[in-house]
Amino acid sequence: MRWYGSKFDTVTLKQIRQVAGVTGVITTLYDMPAGEKWTREAIQQMKSEVNASGLHISGIESVNVHEDIKTGSRSRDKYIENYIETLENLGKEDIHLVCYNFMPVFDWTRSELARMRDDGSTVLAYNQADIDKIVPEEMFASIADDMNGTVMPGWEPERMAKVKELFEEYKDIDEEKLFGNLKYFLKAIMPVCNKYDIKMAIHPDDPAWSVFGLPRIIINKKNILRMMNMVNDVHNGVTFCSGSYGTNRENDLPDMIRSLKGRIHFAHVRNLRFNSDSDFEEAAHLSSDGSFDMYEIMKALYDTGFSGPIRPDHGRMIWDESAMPGYGLYDRALGASYLNGLWEAIKKNNKTI
Ligand code: CS2
Ligand code: MN
């Protein structure tokens, strides 16, 4: 399960440890601004806290990429140097999985953080018409009230303070340039990844299309295969996030997983429910609550020999929990149990007699 650290998360390591089948956490130094070096001491401290609870660190989500690397501006080399040092320190601490994204300005985008469902649970939701009415600079203010006093990934106040400037920096960046900047970044970090066997796992853009006119490239099979081929190294890999790729209903999720065999290092498995082509909400993990066939998704991961960590992703807010939207304990624990159940059944069914 994902854990934001004791300073930020409402969920404790002890609670996570009590979810049957969960042995590790995906974590980060959450207050580290993008572009800064992570020291070995800070990593060691995070690690010993997790280990003391009886869990281990399964990987980092995220080491964020500085905007200057994405825009390819002159100062990018300095930030790439810092990224390399961070990777080196993670490698020395025996951490071998790093999730990151290459989305301009915003991380994920939603129009609502607490849409009420019939059963009284609340979920994150996306409605295109509502997004079209929002001015990007006001996006932060419009959702801040629903954050339950937490800081949400990708929506940190420092980042939002600079939104206008950031849009300016992207005005000449199209998809081709963004691909080029990603390639430049990956080529530069591959040697350190090879040295320490660090698997980089890019997270898809969420939703998987351009939002507010900004370019987005990690959105479908064609683009992700292009990315895999442009730096053809096993350490240049993927976080397969079903809820993000699945926003585009043309993406055939099990087929994408099969075509990325060997390059998926990390999986976020969650379900969405589509109310129309331009409106979706995050559902419970169970197939019948949403639009995805979760069995087929897990089966494709199993069949392709996937051996990295799988985590439940955003959960609904249920049982009156107050937590970071998407990251409460209860529904993610239910999600983890369900995914473990699917995995066990698939595994047993595949046993040759
Ligand atoms: C996450 C992303 O909460 C979420 O939607 O899946 O924020 C993810 O952590 C980042 O995009 C990865 O850098
Ligand atoms: Mn995800």
Side-chain angles (χ1 to χ4, degrees):
M1 278 174 72
R2 189 176 194 179
W3 184 64
Y4 287 97
S6 36
K7 247 198 286 175
F8 298 98
D9 214 311
T10 56
V11 180
T12 64
L13 288 170
K14 183 177 172 194
Q15 290 169 323
I16 294 176
R17 177 140 190 239
Q18 290 170 353
V19 182
V22 176
T23 52
V25 289
I26 296 289
T27 190
T28 186
L29 295 177
Y30 198 38
D31 43 6
M32 192 65 88
E36 303 236 329
K37 285 179 213 160
W38 294 22
T39 63
R40 256 190 102 167
E41 294 68 46
I43 299 166
Q44 270 161 0
Q45 215 185 329
M46 167 172 83
K47 205 174 137 179
S48 50
E49 190 181 359
V50 170
N51 291 348
S53 74
L55 295 161
H56 67 271
I57 295 183
S58 311
I60 302 297
E61 178 175 351
S62 313
V63 179
N64 283 319
V65 176
H66 194 275
E67 295 296 329
D68 287 3
I69 298 178
K70 299 182 215 163
T71 58
S73 79
R74 256 183 288 135
S75 51
R76 72 173 147 181
D77 291 328
K78 177 178 91 198
Y79 292 114
I80 291 177
E81 270 313 304
N82 288 353
Y83 207 99
I84 290 171
E85 252 187 74
T86 296
L87 292 176
E88 181 148 25
N89 286 336
L90 287 168
K92 286 180 178 157
E93 287 305 320
D94 211 18
I95 294 174
H96 301 281
L97 172 70
V98 171
C99 171
Y100 69 104
N101 73 73
F102 219 71
M103 283 179 254
V105 189
F106 300 104
D107 192 314
W108 52 270
T109 308
R110 291 287 178 275
S111 54
E112 287 152 82
L113 299 183
R115 178 184 290 180
M116 181 81 80
R117 301 180 92 200
D118 289 346
D119 60 5
S121 61
T122 63
V123 291
L124 289 92
Y126 186 96
N127 179 286
Q128 190 63 49
D130 288 344
I131 290 287
D132 292 342
K133 279 184 236 143
I134 297 177
V135 184
E137 302 92 81
E138 284 161 16
M139 179 103 191
F140 182 66
S142 78
I143 63 171
D145 288 349
D146 287 330
M147 291 190 186
N148 298 333
T150 59
V151 177
M152 297 190 62
W155 294 93
E156 302 83 357
E158 318 81 73
R159 191 193 303 230
M160 290 311 108
K162 287 193 299 190
V163 164
K164 254 207 162 111
E165 278 167 50
L166 284 172
F167 266 77
E168 211 26 50
E169 286 168 29
Y170 277 97
K171 77 177 187 309
D172 298 321
I173 312 286
D174 59 11
E175 290 175 8
E176 283 308 304
K177 285 200 177 126
L178 198 58
F179 259 118
N181 295 340
L182 176 56
K183 183 173 178 181
Y184 183 95
F185 167 68
L186 285 167
K187 288 227 148 170
I189 64 168
M190 277 304 113
V192 73
C193 293
N194 275 290
K195 183 164 174 204
Y196 292 98
D197 188 24
I198 295 177
K199 298 194 167 91
M200 296 301 295
I202 195 162
H203 190 279
D205 303 349
D206 186 358
W209 53 78
S210 160
V211 181
F212 302 129
L214 293 164
R216 286 190 153 193
I217 52 178
I218 308 303
I219 53 174
N220 55 25
K221 177 167 157 181
K222 178 169 151 261
N223 286 18
I224 192 69
L225 288 179
R226 172 176 172 186
M227 181 199 160
M228 293 299 103
N229 291 329
M230 83 187 177
V231 179
N232 201 2
D233 184 315
V234 69
H235 297 99
N236 169 29
V238 173
T239 297
F240 194 86
C241 177
S242 60
S244 302
Y245 281 123
T247 54
N248 183 343
R249 295 172 95 178
E250 281 169 20
N251 283 336
D252 175 340
L253 302 175
D255 171 66
M256 284 178 85
I257 293 171
R258 291 201 158 82
S259 64
L260 287 163
K261 186 173 188 305
R263 299 293 280 272
I264 300 178
H265 301 317
F266 182 25
H268 291 177
V269 182
R270 65 176 156 94
N271 200 357
L272 297 179
R273 177 199 285 267
F274 284 90
N275 298 311
S276 73
D277 276 339
S278 58
D279 184 285
F280 64 80
E281 60 196 43
E282 296 181 355
H285 287 71
L286 200 73
S287 301
S288 59
D289 194 52
S291 305
F292 301 160
D293 188 330
M294 305 302 280
Y295 168 80
E296 289 298 341
I297 289 170
M298 293 295 274
K299 182 149 183 352
L301 286 169
Y302 183 89
D303 289 348
T304 49
F306 174 76
S307 62
I310 299 183
R311 70 167 182 79
D313 211 351
H314 302 173
R316 303 162 301 149
M317 209 53 75
I318 58 172
W319 303 339
D320 301 321
E321 185 174 15
S322 175
M324 186 189 294
Y327 287 100
L329 171 66
Y330 304 143
D331 201 39
R332 286 188 304 146
L334 293 176
S337 298
Y338 170 66
L339 297 178
N340 271 324
L342 286 175
W343 194 261
E344 181 179 335
I346 293 165
K347 202 166 155 188
K348 288 187 172 159
N349 260 312
N350 272 275
K351 262 217 185 106
T352 44
I353 310 158

